[in-house]
Amino acid sequence: MARRRQIYEGKAKVLFEGPEPGTLVQYFKDDATAFNNKKKGTITGKGVLNNRISEYLMIKLGEIGIPTHFVRRLNMREQLVREVEIIPLEVVVRNISAGSLAQRFGLSEGTPLPRSIVEYYFKSDALGDPMVAEEHITAFGWATTQDIDELMSMSLRVNDFLTGLFLGVGIRLVDFKLEFGRLYNGDDMQIVLADEISPDNCRLWDLKTGEKMDKDRFRRDLGNVEDAYQEVARRLGILPEGGPRDLKGPEMMQ
Ligand code: 5GP
């Protein structure tokens, strides 16, 4: 069997060369890391669940006109995506104080913010993803002012839509991280949503109990991590029929 060429291996995903030029296969691993790689572990079935959850959310966002890199899901752990040039920024949107924001400003976790806050971080494991201002982004040439306006307005639209979608299934969207890429078509360039949207990069709290249903369960050793991810998928109505325990290796695509 022909082995596909691996393009990139990240902490939670692997990218392989796709079947046609301009496409990639995004493979979701069960590996989990936190605190800039200092904590490592495995969450059985996480890759299967995140593949499904991210597929569902990217399709829904596409339906409201947000351009994304997602093409289609290929199997339990893989999806076909468009090859984009990743903008080296993590865009974080926050609705309720938690995590690094709560720490930075001495806020107690769970305080609703006066309005949604959008922050930018420079994507660099070596530097621990430092927070950056627009000044750094334009001065270092990571994005133009016009690109930043687009990142901001797309991120806020994603936030409005996902906040409502999750509220509908009894989940509070506390905060999340997005990544974007540039998609080239001849001389045209379009900024599209890339990477994934899943409990790995969102904070999701149960509306009634406040219970955490995201990667903070792993980061903070709260236990039942897989169950929490599974519950998110169940509430969204997309739990894989065979359950998330896909112990097979990557399936070769046609
Ligand atoms: P914080 O800055 O509070 O640690 O994270 C804010 C939000 O962005 C959380 O939902 C968190 O999951 C997400 N986030 C921030 N940085 C990263 C990252 O490097 N990887 C992942 N998976 N999520 C991140």
Side-chain angles (χ1 to χ4, degrees), residues 220-240:
R220 302 179 190 189
D221 292 323
L222 299 175
N224 300 327
V225 191
E226 186 196 338
D227 292 347
Y229 281 51
Q230 204 169 320
E231 177 61 13
V232 172
R234 192 193 66 75
R235 290 202 197 174
L236 293 171
I238 52 168
L239 195 61

Side-chain angles (χ1 to χ4, degrees), residues 31-201:
D31 297 353
T33 64
F35 311 119
N36 199 24
N37 252 334
K38 287 186 193 82
K39 178 172 177 152
K40 290 186 179 152
T42 302
I43 303 167
T44 310
K46 174 175 81 87
V48 176
L49 291 163
N50 282 355
N51 188 21
R52 281 278 173 149
I53 294 170
S54 196
E55 169 199 20
Y56 178 78
L57 298 177
M58 290 279 182
I59 288 176
K60 289 280 171 201
L61 288 167
E63 283 170 2
I64 62 152
I66 305 272
T68 82
H69 73 157
F70 180 83
V71 180
R72 65 176 185 277
R73 188 167 57 81
L74 298 167
N75 55 51
M76 296 277 269
R77 283 180 186 269
E78 294 178 331
Q79 49 183 243
L80 188 68
V81 298
R82 289 192 198 292
E83 185 171 23
V84 298
E85 181 189 282
I86 288 286
I87 297 173
L89 295 173
E90 298 189 344
V91 182
V92 169
V93 185
R94 302 177 186 272
N95 300 307
I96 296 169
S97 88
S100 71
L101 180 100
Q103 248 181 353
R104 207 176 321 130
F105 297 108
L107 297 168
S108 56
E109 272 211 334
T111 313
L113 299 172
R115 61 173 169 81
S116 302
I117 295 177
V118 180
E119 299 171 336
Y120 304 100
Y121 295 82
F122 176 51
K123 244 175 89 70
S124 164
D125 284 344
L127 301 173
D129 299 341
M131 192 176 178
V132 292
E134 267 200 54
E135 274 291 283
H136 304 108
I137 299 173
T138 52
F140 293 125
W142 300 321
T144 64
T145 307
Q146 200 186 338
D147 292 339
I148 297 172
D149 287 348
E150 217 170 310
L151 296 179
M152 166 83 85
S153 67
M154 276 168 72
S155 301
L156 289 173
R157 277 192 74 201
V158 170
N159 184 44
D160 284 346
F161 181 77
L162 292 186
T163 295
L165 186 146
F166 278 117
L167 263 186
V169 296
I171 294 174
R172 207 181 283 285
L173 178 61
V174 173
D175 57 31
F176 58 94
K177 182 260 293 183
L178 299 176
E179 292 187 25
F180 293 87
R182 295 192 170 87
L183 184 61
Y184 292 97
N185 184 2
D187 284 344
D188 290 338
M189 186 279 285
Q190 186 187 22
I191 294 182
V192 304
L193 188 58
D195 192 48
E196 71 178 295
I197 309 180
S198 72
D200 263 11
N201 49 28

